[in-house]
């Protein structure tokens, strides 16, 4: 049987180069090898304060971004999480499997809770990884392509699947994370010790996929560098290492070719070439984003909803049977 992949991104703000290089780029590459499900996880987006109008708009924009980076709706299933109520239903069942202490240990929860005022930390924020586990387990997923920051959530997903299977009988496939060797943690342009993040207060710390050319040039120009002048991959110089990693991934040149290209050159050249390569990638991408019509989008999402619902329903049905959540004997 063809193996399945499932992944998703939150429709919060816009997509940055880290999201693309760490996750979306791999979704595109893997979609022909696997039966693929790519979800716009809007239920996750309401775990922190949000603007309802913006959320609807961002949900559609993120779908356009999935398509414009190269997700092919003819081969992959693209859908909105809240269109398939089974995600919330399975979350409830898994809430009765997960331990509160497991959730309190999640580093993303601790970081995000710190950023919210204490009285505004919702139960949804704590429960976020359980919803993510439900997303993945509903589709009997084999592989989950994500960036490094999601590793802990994937481990919890596996633990919950194993525990449920042990207590109620074999029901869920236990998924593996797919975390790329290069690109799983693109760093901030302002602070190479922090990951590039949507929620960083400093907008110059990240390149957004919808940034115009001048903005891209400006942001790379302002990017911090390390001491020393040589331009080569070196983990002890995180800023240059990060810029080179981006260049390597965007151009598709090997690490050796990248080092050759920059041998004897300075930081200004690196930043200029990086901006040029990024713009070359972004221009046609942004053009594709603009070309996707509302009708086309609606059709793709409706087809996605139908296909996803069918599979999600079948898994949930089994879960209900195993847990005794069936009033009638024939359900
Ligand atoms: P933030 O950028 O604010 O941390 P997020 O991780 O919550 O955002 P999502 O849109 O849900 O954002 O993430 C989509 C994907 O991008 C995930 O698979 C995540 O692991 C990946 N990702 C996020 N930041 C990076 C990064 N700096 N480098 C590589 N991958 C990343
Ligand atoms: N938490 C993830 C987004 C996400 C996800 C998923 C990723 C929600 N559900 C299922 C993979 C599989 C994040 O990147 N912030």
């Amino acid at each position: 049987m063809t193996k399945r992949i499932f992944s998703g991104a939150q429709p919060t703000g816009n997509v940055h180069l880290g999201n693309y290089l760490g996750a979306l780029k791999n979704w595109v590459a893997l979609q022909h090898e696997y039966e693929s499900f790519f979800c716009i996880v809007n239920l996750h987006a309401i775990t922190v304060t949000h603007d309802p109008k913006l959320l609807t708009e961002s949900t559609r924009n993120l779908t356009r971004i999935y398509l414009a980076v190269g997700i092919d709706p003819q081969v992959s299933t693209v859908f909105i999480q809240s269109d398939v109520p089974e995600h919330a239903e399975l979350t409830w069942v898994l809430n009765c499997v997960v331990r509160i202490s497991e959730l309190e240990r999640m580093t993303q929860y601790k970081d995000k809770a710190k950023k919210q005022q204490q009285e505004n930390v919702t139960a949804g924020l704590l429960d976020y990884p359980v919803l993510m586990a439900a997303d993945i387990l509903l589709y009997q997923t084999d592989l989950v392509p994500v960036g490094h920051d999601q590793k802990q959530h994937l481990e919890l997903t596996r633990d919950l699947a194993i525990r449920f299977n042990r207590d109620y009988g074999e029901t869920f496939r236990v998924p593996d994370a797919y975390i790329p060797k290069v690109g799983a943690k693109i760093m901030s342009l302002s602070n190479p010790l922090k990951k590039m993040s949507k929620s960083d207060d400093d907008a110059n710390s990240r390149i957004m996929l919808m940034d115009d050319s001048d903005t891209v040039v400006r942001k790379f120009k302002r990017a911090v560098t390390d001491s020393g002048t040589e331009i080569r991959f070196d983990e002890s110089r995180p800023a240059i290492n990060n810029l080179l990693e981006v260049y390597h991934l965007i151009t598709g040149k090997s690490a050796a070719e990248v080092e050759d290209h920059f041998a004897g050159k300075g930081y200004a050249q690196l930043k200029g070439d990086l901006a040029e390569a990024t713009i070359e990638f972004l221009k046609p991408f942004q053009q594709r984003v603009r070309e996707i019509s509302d009708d086309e989008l609606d059709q793709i999402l409706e087809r996605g909803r139908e296909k996803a619902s069918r599979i999600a329903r079948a898994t949930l049905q089994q879960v209900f049977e195993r847990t005794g959540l069936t009033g009638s004997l024939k359900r």
Side-chain angles (χ1 to χ4, degrees), residues 136-175:
I136 296 165
L137 299 180
L138 270 179
Y139 298 90
Q140 305 292 359
T141 303
D142 295 284
L143 205 63
V144 186
V146 282
H148 181 265
D149 60 338
Q150 296 303 313
K151 191 166 179 254
Q152 199 183 29
H153 289 162
L154 251 300
E155 279 157 14
L156 179 68
T157 302
R158 289 171 55 87
D159 289 346
L160 294 182
I162 292 167
R163 191 177 307 157
F164 187 97
N165 288 346
R166 184 199 64 198
D167 292 348
Y168 296 105
E170 202 60 28
T171 307
F172 296 122
R173 200 165 298 168
V174 181

Side-chain angles (χ1 to χ4, degrees), residues 9-10 16 18-19 23 146-147 149-150 183-184 186 195-199:
Q10 302 184 79
H16 54 67
N19 300 135
V146 282
D149 60 338
Q150 296 303 313
I186 301 296
K195 78 158 193 141
M196 187 177 281
S197 163
K198 284 176 182 170
S199 42

Side-chain angles (χ1 to χ4, degrees), residues 6-10 41 44 108 128 132 135-136 144 146 150 153:
F6 183 101
S7 200
Q10 302 184 79
V41 294
H44 280 101
Q108 183 181 291
Y128 178 115
M132 177 163 165
D135 295 341
I136 296 165
V144 186
V146 282
Q150 296 303 313
H153 289 162

Side-chain angles (χ1 to χ4, degrees), residues 60-76:
R60 294 184 71 83
N61 287 342
L62 182 58
T63 314
R64 287 196 163 85
I65 287 177
Y66 281 12
L67 301 170
V69 292
I71 302 292
D72 178 353
Q74 299 303 327
V75 299
S76 298

Side-chain angles (χ1 to χ4, degrees), residues 109-268:
Y109 168 70
K110 289 192 270 187
D111 291 348
K112 288 198 176 174
K114 226 188 282 165
K115 280 195 187 157
Q116 298 270 308
Q117 278 182 322
Q118 212 185 341
E119 64 273 22
N120 290 342
V121 176
T122 65
L125 189 65
L126 180 65
D127 207 34
Y128 178 115
V130 182
L131 177 59
M132 177 163 165
D135 295 341
I136 296 165
L137 299 180
L138 270 179
Y139 298 90
Q140 305 292 359
T141 303
D142 295 284
L143 205 63
V144 186
V146 282
H148 181 265
D149 60 338
Q150 296 303 313
K151 191 166 179 254
Q152 199 183 29
H153 289 162
L154 251 300
E155 279 157 14
L156 179 68
T157 302
R158 289 171 55 87
D159 289 346
L160 294 182
I162 292 167
R163 191 177 307 157
F164 187 97
N165 288 346
R166 184 199 64 198
D167 292 348
Y168 296 105
E170 202 60 28
T171 307
F172 296 122
R173 200 165 298 168
V174 181
D176 286 313
Y178 176 97
I179 297 174
K181 282 205 186 70
V182 185
K185 195 172 182 188
I186 301 296
M187 308 311 274
S188 149
L189 299 182
S190 324
N191 177 357
L193 301 178
K194 282 201 313 200
K195 78 158 193 141
M196 187 177 281
S197 163
K198 284 176 182 170
S199 42
D200 195 314
D201 292 333
D202 177 8
N204 290 318
S205 67
R206 57 184 172 259
I207 306 280
M208 307 307 296
L209 295 196
M210 296 309 287
D211 276 349
D212 61 31
S213 305
D214 290 349
T215 308
V216 172
V217 170
R218 183 175 52 77
K219 285 181 179 173
F220 276 126
K221 221 180 235 170
R222 292 177 57 124
V224 302
T225 50
D226 314 280
S227 55
T229 53
E230 228 183 322
I231 299 188
R232 60 179 166 78
F233 287 98
D234 175 357
E235 280 179 13
S236 68
R237 291 158 74 221
I240 292 302
N241 216 57
N242 188 46
L243 296 178
L244 285 178
E245 198 165 300
V246 172
Y247 188 80
H248 157 65
L249 290 167
I250 282 271
T251 59
K253 289 188 174 142
S254 71
E257 284 169 338
V258 172
E259 287 189 341
D260 271 359
H261 178 86
F262 289 113
K265 295 185 180 145
Y267 289 162

Side-chain angles (χ1 to χ4, degrees), residues 79-139:
F79 71 104
I80 297 173
Q81 191 183 31
S82 64
D83 278 350
V84 182
E86 284 79 1
H87 290 245
E89 291 181 79
L90 181 58
T91 300
W92 178 255
V93 176
L94 295 177
N95 271 338
C96 301
V97 174
V98 75
R99 311 290 187 252
I100 295 176
S101 59
E102 289 176 302
L103 295 175
E104 285 171 339
R105 272 204 299 274
M106 294 290 118
T107 55
Q108 183 181 291
Y109 168 70
K110 289 192 270 187
D111 291 348
K112 288 198 176 174
K114 226 188 282 165
K115 280 195 187 157
Q116 298 270 308
Q117 278 182 322
Q118 212 185 341
E119 64 273 22
N120 290 342
V121 176
T122 65
L125 189 65
L126 180 65
D127 207 34
Y128 178 115
V130 182
L131 177 59
M132 177 163 165
D135 295 341
I136 296 165
L137 299 180
L138 270 179
Y139 298 90

